[in-house]
């Protein structure tokens, strides 16, 4: 390549620089500077084209041209940067002055969520039993036949199993717990021979037709106290204190004899109807009473299954349905609302 070519390329470079500088100065938006970049400095840009052709120069010519081309490239890059910075600033200013906030417009209301009624009742129950020294114990929703029935004094074929319509699984040993009572045995096995005071909240499942009064999935809160010299009067005291804290002092309650295979004796606890206060109304079916929980003294076989010697230890247990308590408390007439996931339900309550 001749000296002429070298001169020629140098001239071209100077020209590109002049043109590019002028074009950059007249770019009035950041968008235009991006177009400018691809025209001069992009992979198919004019300066890049020249830098690529340096290979065809002789080794003597190359350094001078290369040096100049790089100088121009750096100069253009820094010019671009400062031009862009200036333009960005003006663009921001214009945007700001255009999009002025109209403080006289009414604000958009923030929608504040609400706590689900079951959760609210559960929290109340936790607080009440917490104040009496009960801790929360977590226990599984999928259970074995052993825990759900056998340890609770219901061997295979026991007729009392019919009290709980059960969702079985393809594994004959596994089922969805029908009540939280299997948690009693889990807690006992973990703590034996310590004394126990726990509540076990959680979901239960029953293979029953769904109606306004019964769902196939619902919550229960189980309670368990095990120790030496625990008597039926302890159970009565705890239940009375619970009902008074939930429904107000002096709220009438009664204990009715009942049957559960895992408690002996067994009772059901009723409270005076929250609607008619005992006079009789459709909610309490004109009895004046509402059943809120089942309870009793832990059966010796269950204590044994939990690792406690029934000659030395005794205990009481109870189980309640928080949805039912919430229905009475908030006047909800259909249990299906609880899991229907309709936000209007939450808006209506509280
Ligand atoms: N597990 C019983 C039920 O589901 C309730 C209960 C719990 C009864 C503890 C007595 C003791 O009906």
């Amino acid at each position: 390549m001749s000296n002429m070519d070298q001169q020629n390329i140098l001239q071209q470079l100077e020209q590109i620089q002049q043109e590019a500088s002028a074009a950059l100065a007249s770019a009035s938006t950041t968008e235009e500077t991006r177009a400018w970049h691809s025209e001069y400095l992009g992979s198919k840009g004019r300066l890049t084209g020249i830098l690529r052709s340096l290979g065809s120069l002789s080794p003597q010519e190359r350094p001078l041209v290369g040096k100049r081309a790089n100088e121009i490239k750096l100069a253009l890059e820094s010019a671009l940067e400062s031009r862009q910075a200036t333009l960005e600033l003006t663009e921001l200013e214009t945007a700001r002055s255009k999009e002025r906030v109209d403080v006289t417009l009414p604000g958009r209301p923030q929608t504040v969520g609400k706590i689900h009624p079951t959760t609210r009742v559960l929290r109340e129950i936790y607080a009440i039993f917490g104040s009496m020294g009960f801790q929360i114990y977590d226990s599984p929703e999928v259970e074995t036949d052993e825990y759900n029935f056998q340890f609770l004094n219901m061997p295979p074929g026991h007729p009392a199993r019919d009290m709980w319509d059960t969702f079985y699984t393809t594994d004959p040993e596994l089922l969805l717990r029908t009540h939280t009572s299997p948690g009693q045995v889990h807690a006992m096995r973990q703590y034996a021979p310590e004394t126990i005071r726990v509540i076990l909240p959680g979901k239960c499942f029953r293979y029953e037709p769904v109606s306004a009064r019964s769902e196939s999935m619902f919550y229960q809160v189980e309670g368990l106290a095990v120790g030496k010299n625990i008597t039926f009067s302890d159970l009565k005291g705890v239940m009375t204190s619970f009902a008074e804290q939930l429904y107000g002092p002096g709220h009438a309650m009664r204990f009715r004899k009942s049957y559960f295979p895992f408690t002996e004796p067994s009772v059901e606890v009723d409270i005076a109807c929250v609607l008619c206060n005992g006079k009789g109304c459709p909610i309490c079916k004109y009895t004046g009473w509402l059943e809120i929980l089942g309870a009793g003294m832990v059966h010796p076989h269950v204590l044994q299954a939990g690792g406690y010697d029934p000659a030395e230890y005794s205990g009481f247990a109870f189980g309640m349905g928080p949805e039912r308590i919430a229905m009475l408390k908030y006047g909800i007439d259909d249990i299906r609302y609880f899991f229907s996931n309709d936000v209007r339900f939450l808006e209506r309550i509280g």
Side-chain angles (χ1 to χ4, degrees), residues 163-164 178-181 184 206 218 220 222-223 260 262-263 266-267 293-296 317-320:
M163 288 165 74
W164 296 273
T178 54
H179 50 176
T180 42
S181 300
Q184 289 184 30
R206 288 195 197 163
F218 56 92
Q220 275 194 348
E222 190 87 7
F260 298 103
F262 36 89
T263 45
S266 302
V267 289
L293 56 89
F318 55 88
M320 63 182 83

Coordinates of all heavy atoms in Angstrom, one line a residue, residues 163-164 178-181 184 206 218 220 222-223 260 262-263 266-267 293-296 317-320, ligand 1:
M163 N -68.2 -43.5 63.5 CA -68.5 -42.1 63.8 C -67.7 -41.2 62.9 O -68.0 -40.0 62.9 CB -68.1 -41.9 65.3 CG -69.0 -42.5 66.3 SD -68.2 -42.6 68.0 CE -68.4 -40.9 68.5
W164 N -66.7 -41.7 62.3 CA -65.9 -40.8 61.4 C -65.8 -41.4 60.0 O -65.1 -42.4 59.8 CB -64.5 -40.7 62.0 CG -64.4 -40.0 63.3 CD1 -64.4 -38.7 63.5 CD2 -64.5 -40.6 64.6 NE1 -64.4 -38.4 64.8 CE2 -64.5 -39.6 65.5 CE3 -64.6 -41.9 65.1 CZ2 -64.5 -39.8 66.9 CZ3 -64.7 -42.2 66.4 CH2 -64.6 -41.1 67.3
T178 N -59.3 -37.9 60.5 CA -60.7 -37.5 60.6 C -60.9 -36.6 61.8 O -62.0 -36.0 62.0 CB -61.6 -38.7 60.8 OG1 -61.1 -39.5 61.9 CG2 -61.5 -39.6 59.6
H179 N -59.9 -36.5 62.7 CA -60.0 -35.6 63.8 C -58.5 -35.3 64.3 O -57.6 -36.0 63.8 CB -60.8 -36.2 65.0 CG -60.4 -37.6 65.3 ND1 -61.0 -38.3 66.4 CD2 -59.6 -38.5 64.8 CE1 -60.5 -39.5 66.4 NE2 -59.6 -39.7 65.5
T180 N -58.4 -34.4 65.2 CA -57.0 -34.1 65.6 C -56.5 -35.0 66.8 O -55.4 -34.9 67.2 CB -56.9 -32.6 66.1 OG1 -58.0 -32.2 66.9 CG2 -56.8 -31.7 64.9
S181 N -57.4 -35.9 67.2 CA -57.1 -36.7 68.4 C -55.8 -37.6 68.2 O -55.1 -37.8 69.2 CB -58.3 -37.6 68.8 OG -59.4 -36.8 69.1
Q184 N -52.8 -36.5 70.0 CA -52.6 -36.7 71.4 C -51.5 -37.8 71.6 O -50.6 -37.6 72.5 CB -53.9 -37.4 72.0 CG -55.1 -36.4 72.2 CD -56.2 -37.1 72.9 OE1 -56.0 -38.0 73.7 NE2 -57.4 -36.7 72.6
R206 N -63.3 -35.3 56.3 CA -64.3 -36.4 56.5 C -65.1 -36.6 55.2 O -65.4 -35.6 54.5 CB -65.3 -36.0 57.6 CG -64.6 -36.2 58.9 CD -65.6 -36.3 60.1 NE -64.8 -36.0 61.3 CZ -65.4 -35.7 62.4 NH1 -66.7 -35.5 62.6 NH2 -64.6 -35.4 63.5
F218 N -62.2 -29.3 57.5 CA -62.5 -28.3 58.5 C -61.4 -28.3 59.5 O -60.6 -29.2 59.5 CB -63.9 -28.6 59.1 CG -64.0 -30.0 59.7 CD1 -63.6 -30.2 61.0 CD2 -64.3 -31.0 58.9 CE1 -63.6 -31.5 61.6 CE2 -64.3 -32.3 59.4 CZ -64.0 -32.6 60.8
Q220 N -60.0 -28.4 63.5 CA -60.3 -28.8 64.9 C -59.2 -28.2 65.8 O -58.1 -28.0 65.3 CB -60.3 -30.3 65.1 CG -61.7 -30.9 64.8 CD -61.8 -32.4 65.3 OE1 -60.8 -33.0 65.7 NE2 -63.0 -32.9 65.2
E222 N -57.6 -29.6 69.2 CA -57.6 -30.6 70.2 C -56.9 -30.1 71.5 O -56.0 -29.2 71.3 CB -56.7 -31.8 69.7 CG -56.8 -33.1 70.5 CD -58.0 -33.9 70.1 OE1 -58.6 -33.6 69.1 OE2 -58.2 -34.9 70.8
G223 N -57.2 -30.5 72.6 CA -56.4 -30.1 73.8 C -56.1 -31.4 74.6 O -56.8 -32.4 74.6
F260 N -67.0 -41.3 73.6 CA -65.9 -41.4 72.7 C -65.0 -42.6 73.1 O -64.8 -42.8 74.3 CB -65.0 -40.2 72.7 CG -65.8 -38.9 72.3 CD1 -66.2 -38.0 73.3 CD2 -66.1 -38.7 71.0 CE1 -66.9 -36.9 72.9 CE2 -66.8 -37.5 70.6 CZ -67.2 -36.6 71.6
F262 N -62.0 -43.0 73.1 CA -60.6 -42.7 73.6 C -60.7 -41.8 74.9 O -59.7 -41.4 75.4 CB -59.8 -42.0 72.6 CG -60.6 -41.1 71.7 CD1 -60.8 -39.7 72.0 CD2 -61.2 -41.6 70.5 CE1 -61.6 -38.9 71.2 CE2 -61.9 -40.8 69.7 CZ -62.1 -39.4 70.0
T263 N -61.9 -41.6 75.4 CA -62.0 -40.9 76.7 C -63.1 -41.7 77.6 O -64.0 -42.3 77.1 CB -62.5 -39.5 76.6 OG1 -63.6 -39.4 75.6 CG2 -61.4 -38.5 76.1
S266 N -66.8 -39.6 79.1 CA -66.8 -38.7 78.0 C -68.0 -37.7 78.2 O -69.0 -38.1 78.7 CB -67.0 -39.4 76.6 OG -65.9 -40.3 76.5
V267 N -67.7 -36.5 77.7 CA -68.8 -35.5 77.8 C -68.9 -34.6 76.5 O -67.9 -34.6 75.7 CB -68.6 -34.5 79.0 CG1 -68.8 -35.1 80.3 CG2 -67.2 -33.8 78.9
L293 N -68.1 -28.5 72.0 CA -66.9 -29.4 72.0 C -67.2 -30.8 72.6 O -68.2 -30.9 73.4 CB -65.7 -28.8 72.6 CG -65.8 -28.3 74.1 CD1 -65.4 -29.3 75.1 CD2 -64.8 -27.1 74.2
G294 N -66.3 -31.7 72.3 CA -66.4 -33.0 73.0 C -65.1 -33.2 73.8 O -64.1 -32.6 73.5
A295 N -65.3 -33.9 75.0 CA -64.1 -34.0 75.9 C -64.2 -35.2 76.8 O -65.2 -35.9 76.7 CB -64.1 -32.7 76.8
G296 N -63.3 -35.4 77.6 CA -63.3 -36.5 78.6 C -62.0 -36.8 79.2 O -61.0 -36.1 78.9
A317 N -58.8 -34.6 77.8 CA -58.6 -34.2 76.4 C -59.9 -33.6 75.9 O -61.0 -33.9 76.5 CB -58.3 -35.4 75.5
F318 N -59.8 -32.7 74.9 CA -61.0 -32.1 74.4 C -60.8 -31.8 72.9 O -59.7 -31.8 72.5 CB -61.5 -30.9 75.1 CG -60.4 -29.8 75.2 CD1 -60.2 -28.9 74.2 CD2 -59.5 -29.8 76.3 CE1 -59.2 -27.9 74.3 CE2 -58.5 -28.8 76.4 CZ -58.4 -27.9 75.4
G319 N -61.9 -31.7 72.2 CA -61.7 -31.3 70.7 C -62.9 -30.4 70.3 O -64.0 -30.7 70.7
M320 N -62.5 -29.3 69.7 CA -63.6 -28.4 69.3 C -63.4 -28.0 67.8 O -62.3 -28.1 67.2 CB -63.5 -27.1 70.2 CG -62.2 -26.3 70.0 SD -62.2 -24.9 71.1 CE -61.7 -25.7 72.6
Ligands
LIG1 N1 -62.0 -36.3 68.3 C1 -63.4 -36.1 68.7 C2 -64.2 -35.8 67.4 O1 -63.7 -35.5 66.4 C3 -63.5 -35.0 69.7 C4 -62.9 -35.3 71.0 C5 -61.6 -34.9 71.3 C6 -63.6 -35.9 72.0 C7 -61.0 -35.2 72.5 C8 -63.0 -36.2 73.2 C9 -61.7 -35.9 73.5 O2 -65.5 -35.8 67.5

